[in-house]
Structure formats: structure tokens, C-alpha cells
Amino acid sequence: MSEHNDPAPFNALPPLIAAIALIIFGAELIFQAGARGMAGGPAAVGWRAEAIEQYAFSNRALAWMVDTGNWRFDFLSRFFTYPFVHVSFMHAAFATVMVLAIGKFVGERVTQWAVLVLFFGSSVVGAATFGLLYPNGPGLIGAFPGIYGLIGGFTCLMWLYLGLVGENQARAFSMIGVLLALQLFFALLYGNDKTWVADVTGFVAGFAMSFVLIPGGWRMLRDKLRQR
């Protein structure tokens, strides 16, 4: 068989998912290069700290905006920038792998704009919930609320599929169950800064939004509720 007829391994990767993963990992490579003196000179050692200061979600900034009614663009923009800053190489690498793996599955089954809505919508809802519940919280960085939103989309797709084939739909929640169990384990082991609230609400937001974003999802949910 001619090599030109072999399917390229990354052909099915949705472009927007690839772009999100590239920004996450690309930013981390820049931080690593700066920290190792490979770019930017001596000041580059502090690039990560500067990025966190400028782009991380701030609980206190949200509380200030709610109290004063002054909705500043530079604070609001952090709802969309914090997913691209991470605390370490492993943190960013794991986020990149999760975005590619879960995003590929979801992105092959919904439109490109729906993937963006799932990722950024869940990131915003997760951060807002965390900020409102813990106005003096430590702030938030990392792509995981958005990733949990994609997992919510994955779960919704599986839930709908299992319903169509007459299988037990509770099986659709096995992935989120395992992830939450791991989070509980690490919280007990290393302490808990309550950022899990952003992840869980990101999942709930992604799951709920998917019924509108998945073609026919709302109709299937409505039919399911009517049967009850």
C-alpha cells in the first residue's frame, strides 16, 4: 500500500483543540526557557511569577468588582487567561495531554465553536463559583476547570449514547467518579485549597451546556424526562 494512502495520525484532531493545547504547552516552554537562562536574560527567571500576577484569576478582584459594581476589563479578562498559566512543567504537560485526549473525543462529535464554548464557558463558571464562594481564596490558574468542562461534554455524549442503546447510563459518570476520588485522595494527603470547587462546577457546567451544544441533545433529554 502506498504511504500516501495511510491516514495521518493527527488528521482527526480538531484544530481549535490543537490550538488550545499548543498555547498551554507553548507558554510553559517559554517559562522553562526563561528559568534555565535560555531566553530573556536574568529577568526571565521571573516570567512565570509575572504571568501569574498579570493573568491568574483573582478571587479578591472578583469580590471587589461585585462590591463596587466596577467591572474592569483587565480583571474580567482573567476569566479567559488563567487556563493558560500553570505552576510547573508537569502541571502544564498533564493539562495538555488531557485537553488533547478529551478534546479530540468531544471535538469529533460537536462543532468547533461548541468546543470553545465548553472549554471557556466551563472555565468562567468554575472560576466565578470559586471566587464567589471563597472571596479571600488563593486565586486560580491552570486549564483544569475547562478540562473538566470537556469531561462534562464527554460524559453527556456517553450518557446519551448509553440511553440510545439501552445500557445503564450511570456508567457515563465513571470517569468523573475516578477523578473526584483521586482529588479527594490528594486533598487528604497534601491539604486542600478549595480549588476543586472550580473543577467540579466546570464539569457541571460542561455537562449542562452539552445538551444544547450536542445536535439533538436537548430533544433526547426532553424525551428522557417525559418517559419518567
Side-chain angles (χ1 to χ4, degrees):
M1 180 181 293
S2 171
E3 64 178 10
H4 296 292
N5 294 327
D6 295 337
F10 300 108
N11 274 353
L13 187 64
L16 290 180
I17 287 296
I20 291 171
L22 182 62
I23 295 172
I24 291 171
F25 201 64
E28 182 58 33
L29 290 180
I30 292 173
F31 296 148
Q32 292 294 324
R36 286 165 171 72
M38 299 169 61
V45 175
W47 278 352
R48 188 191 302 276
E50 291 177 7
I52 291 174
E53 183 178 347
Q54 293 180 22
Y55 301 116
F57 170 77
S58 171
N59 300 53
R60 293 178 181 178
L62 177 60
W64 178 83
M65 288 190 293
V66 171
D67 290 340
T68 64
N70 185 3
W71 300 92
R72 286 176 45 173
F73 174 79
D74 56 334
F75 289 164
L76 291 173
S77 65
R78 292 173 180 236
F79 281 100
F80 300 93
T81 58
Y82 84 84
F84 299 104
V85 184
H86 294 78
V87 297
S88 67
F89 179 84
M90 288 303 298
H91 191 210
F94 188 53
T96 301
V97 171
M98 291 287 286
V99 165
L100 291 173
I102 305 300
K104 181 177 185 295
F105 181 92
V106 176
E108 290 174 344
R109 292 159 178 82
V110 299
T111 62
Q112 290 291 293
W113 67 266
V115 173
L116 283 185
V117 171
L118 274 177
F119 182 80
F120 286 108
S122 300
S123 297
V124 170
V125 171
T129 305
F130 176 56
L132 291 173
L133 290 178
Y134 302 100
N136 293 315
L140 188 64
I141 58 173
F144 285 93
I147 291 170
Y148 271 76
L150 293 175
I151 294 172
F154 168 87
T155 303
C156 183
L157 285 163
M158 292 300 298
W159 189 84
L160 292 172
Y161 170 75
L162 291 172
L164 287 174
V165 298
E167 298 284 343
N168 181 7
Q169 289 177 288
R171 289 169 48 197
F173 294 91
S174 57
M175 178 184 289
I176 188 63
V178 170
L179 290 173
L180 291 178
L182 287 173
Q183 278 203 329
L184 176 61
F185 171 76
F186 286 114
L188 293 174
L189 195 62
Y190 298 111
N192 184 7
D193 60 3
K194 302 294 191 300
T195 55
W196 61 267
V197 170
D199 297 338
V200 173
T201 51
F203 169 81
V204 173
F207 183 78
M209 286 188 292
S210 295
F211 286 104
V212 178
L213 298 173
I214 295 172
W218 178 251
R219 176 182 53 80
M220 286 186 277
L221 175 63
R222 186 177 57 198
D223 292 344
K224 185 74 175 178
L225 293 174
R226 284 176 177 173
Q227 291 174 10
R228 296 179 182 275

